[in-house]
C-alpha cells in the first residue's frame, strides 16, 4: 500500500492515476494540503495533509497500513526563490517528517530530486551522475540537502530510500506551479489558445526535459528495481531530451504552421535556468535499473497538442 504526499501537484496528480491502475485504487492513499474536486480526490482514498504536520502524517500512514511513502509535496524553483524561508521550512521540514515516518513504520521511500541540484560550477554538458553540486538557488540547496538526507537514512537506518533527479517535466493534466521549466508546458496551452507564445526563458537556453508518461514509468521502474543492483540511490540522473525554447517552438510549428514565438525574458527565472546543466548523463540509471524513455520532442508535441485540444475543448 502506497501513501503519496503532494498528490494534487504536477507529478502527484498523474502519479496517483498511474499507481491506482498499477496497484489498485484502494492501495493508494492520496494526500495534499487542500482538497480539490478532481480525479485524484474522487478516484480513491484521499486525506488532507500538511506535510509539516508530522503527527498527522504518521497517523495517516499507520492507519492506512502504508508500506511505501512517495513524498512529492514541495515548492518548485521559482517559487522557492521568491520565498526562500518558506521553501526551506516546507521542503526540508516536510522531507524530514516523511523520512522519519518512513523509518518508524519501515516503509520504502521515494522522493524526487532535480537537475536543480546542480549549480554553475557543475559540468554543463553530459553532467555526470557523481559530480560537483554547488547550486545557487534555495530550491537547489533543498534538493542537495534532500539527496544527502535520503542517503543518510539509507546508510544509518537501512531505510530503502530511492530517488531520481528529474529534468523539466511536461504534462497536460495539472499545470506546474512556480517552476523554471514551466515555459515548456505553458507554450502548448498558449499555442492552442492564442496561436503564439512569449517565452520568459531566452532562446539558446538548453535544459533537460521529459514527458510525464516517461517520468511516471521511471518512478515505478526504480521502486521495483532489484536493490542488489543499485549502486546509487539518491538520486539518479534521468532525462529524455535537451532543448531550448526555439526548438520546442519549431516542433510546435510543424503541427501549427501559423504558430508565432516571442521572447520577454524574466531575469529571475533566466538566472535559475542559466545555473542548471544543459544536458545530464542518465547512464547510471540505465545501467542500474533499466531506465528508458519513449517520447522525444516531436512525439511529445503531437501527444501534448492532441490531449490539450480535448482538455481545452479546442
Ligand atoms: C522547476 N519543474 O522548474 C521544476 C524542476 C528541473 C525543473 O525542478 O523548478
Amino acid at each position: 500500500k502506497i501513501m503519496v504526499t503532494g498528490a494534487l501537484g504536477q507529478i502527484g496528480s498523474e502519479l496517483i492515476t498511474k499507481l491506482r491502475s498499477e496497484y489498485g485504487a484502494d492501495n493508494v492513499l492520496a494526500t495534499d494540503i487542500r482538497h480539490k474536486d478532481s480525479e485524484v480526490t474522487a478516484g480513491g482514498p484521499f486525506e488532507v495533509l500538511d506535510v509539516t504536520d508530522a503527527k498527522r502524517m504518521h497517523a495517516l500512514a499507520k492507519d492506512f497500513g502504508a508500506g511505501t511513502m512517495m513524498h512529492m509535496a514541495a515548492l518548485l524553483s521559482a517559487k522557492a526563490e521568491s520565498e526562500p524561508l518558506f521553501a526551506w521550512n516546507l521542503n526540508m521540514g516536510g522531507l524530514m517528517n516523511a523520512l522519519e515516518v518512513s523509518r518508524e513504520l519501515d516503509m520504502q521511500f521515494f522522493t524526487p530530486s532535480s537537475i536543480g541540484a546542480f549549480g554553475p560550477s557543475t559540468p554543463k554538458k553530459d553532467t555526470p551522475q557523481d559530480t560537483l553540486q554547488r547550486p545557487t538557488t534555495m530550491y537547489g540547496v533543498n534538493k542537495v540537502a534532500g539527496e544527502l538526507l535520503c542517503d543518510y537514512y539509507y546508510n544509518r537506518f537501512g531505510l530503502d530510500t530511492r530517488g531520481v533527479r528529474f529534468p523539466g517535466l511536461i504534462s497536460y493534466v495539472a499545470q506546474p506551479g512556480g517552476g523554471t521549466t514551466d515555459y515548456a508546458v505553458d507554450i502548448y496551452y498558449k499555442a492552442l489558445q492564442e496561436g503564439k507564445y512569449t517565452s520568459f526563458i531566452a532562446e539558446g537556453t538548453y535544459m533537460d526535459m521529459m514527458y510525464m508518461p516517461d517520468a511516471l514509468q521511471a518512478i515505478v521502474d526504480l521502486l521495483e528495481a532489484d536493490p542488489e543492483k543499485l549502486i546509487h540511490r539518491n538520486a539518479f540522473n534521468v532525462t529524455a531530451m535537451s532543448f531550448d525554447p526555439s526548438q520546442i517552438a519549431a516542433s510546435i510549428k510543424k503541427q501549427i504552421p501559423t504558430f508565432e514565438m516571442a521572447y520577454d525574458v524574466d531575469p529571475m527565472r533566466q538566472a535559475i535556468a542559466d545555473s542548471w546543466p544543459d544536458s545530464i548523463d542518465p547512464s547510471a540509471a540505465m545501467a542500474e535499473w533499466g531506465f528508458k524513455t519513449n517520447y522525444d520532442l516531436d512525439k511529445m508535441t503531437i501527444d501534448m497538442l492532441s490531449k490539450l485540444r480535448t482538455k481545452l475543448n479546442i
Side-chain angles (χ1 to χ4, degrees):
K1 299 182 98 171
I2 303 170
M3 176 170 171
V4 179
T5 69
L8 292 172
Q10 181 197 10
I11 305 174
S13 54
E14 297 200 54
L15 180 60
I16 292 296
T17 305
K18 172 106 177 159
L19 294 174
R20 284 172 176 163
S21 71
E22 295 264 340
Y23 305 110
D26 289 343
N27 292 318
V28 183
L29 172 60
T31 72
D32 202 291
I33 193 163
R34 69 212 185 292
H35 182 288
K36 188 180 74 176
D37 281 342
S38 63
E39 180 47 34
V40 168
T41 50
F46 178 88
E47 293 287 349
V48 172
L49 170 65
D50 176 339
V51 293
T52 60
D53 181 348
K55 273 170 67 68
R56 179 165 169 75
M57 187 190 287
H58 186 285
L60 287 176
K62 190 167 168 47
D63 295 349
F64 187 64
T68 297
M69 172 73 78
M70 304 185 80
H71 181 56
M72 310 304 289
L75 229 51
L76 293 183
S77 58
K79 192 107 176 59
E81 214 47 32
S82 57
E83 299 182 68
L85 183 60
F86 173 43
W88 176 268
N89 290 327
L90 169 57
N91 289 349
M92 304 320 295
L95 176 60
M96 182 54 90
N97 288 343
L99 282 166
E100 270 298 284
V101 167
S102 302
R103 181 183 64 77
E104 289 156 1
L105 300 174
D106 194 20
M107 299 165 73
Q108 185 182 33
F109 184 87
F110 173 86
T111 199
S113 180
S114 160
I115 58 173
F118 298 118
S121 54
T122 304
K124 277 195 176 298
K125 298 205 183 330
D126 291 329
T127 305
Q129 176 64 44
D130 302 305
T131 186
L132 194 57
Q133 294 179 255
R134 305 282 303 174
T136 50
T137 64
M138 172 53 81
Y139 180 74
V141 168
N142 297 158
K143 288 302 176 187
V144 172
E147 290 185 8
L148 296 173
L149 210 47
C150 290
D151 274 349
Y152 178 81
Y153 269 72
Y154 172 68
N155 291 311
R156 173 80 197 285
F157 304 113
L159 190 66
D160 182 4
T161 59
R162 307 180 189 193
V164 292
R165 290 171 186 146
F166 272 138
L169 297 182
I170 289 143
S171 62
Y172 58 84
V173 174
Q175 288 201 298
T180 299
T181 59
D182 299 359
Y183 88 89
V185 177
D186 299 343
I187 191 169
Y188 288 110
Y189 282 84
K190 293 291 188 313
L192 290 170
Q193 291 166 329
E194 300 171 17
K196 63 184 188 325
Y197 180 62
T198 300
S199 172
F200 56 77
I201 295 294
E203 186 168 2
T205 309
Y206 285 83
M207 288 187 272
D208 285 282
M209 301 282 182
M210 188 186 294
Y211 197 31
M212 187 61 78
D214 283 337
L216 300 176
Q217 194 54 52
I219 294 174
V220 170
D221 290 348
L222 174 56
L223 284 184
E224 293 191 351
D226 175 0
E228 299 301 310
K229 294 202 173 66
L230 298 182
I231 299 165
H232 298 84
R233 280 182 170 266
N234 304 284
F236 287 92
N237 287 1
V238 291
T239 184
M241 54 190 110
S242 166
F243 57 72
D244 86 311
S246 72
Q247 288 175 307
I248 187 171
S251 178
I252 291 171
K253 263 177 101 72
K254 287 180 197 169
Q255 308 303 321
I256 309 174
T258 55
F259 174 71
E260 287 172 15
M261 182 73 152
Y263 295 89
D264 178 11
V265 174
D266 165 20
M268 187 185 77
R269 284 180 289 189
Q270 185 62 38
I272 294 172
D274 288 342
S275 74
W276 291 351
D278 292 346
S279 61
I280 66 176
D281 171 8
S283 54
M286 291 172 171
E288 297 176 35
W289 49 276
F291 167 66
K292 64 188 181 314
T293 60
N294 296 311
Y295 287 87
D296 63 11
L297 178 53
D298 286 338
K299 191 175 172 189
M300 173 174 72
T301 294
I302 291 164
D303 196 63
M304 269 297 278
L305 291 175
S306 103
K307 295 289 196 326
L308 281 178
R309 279 195 175 96
T310 307
K311 176 181 177 179
L312 302 172
N313 210 359
I314 292 176

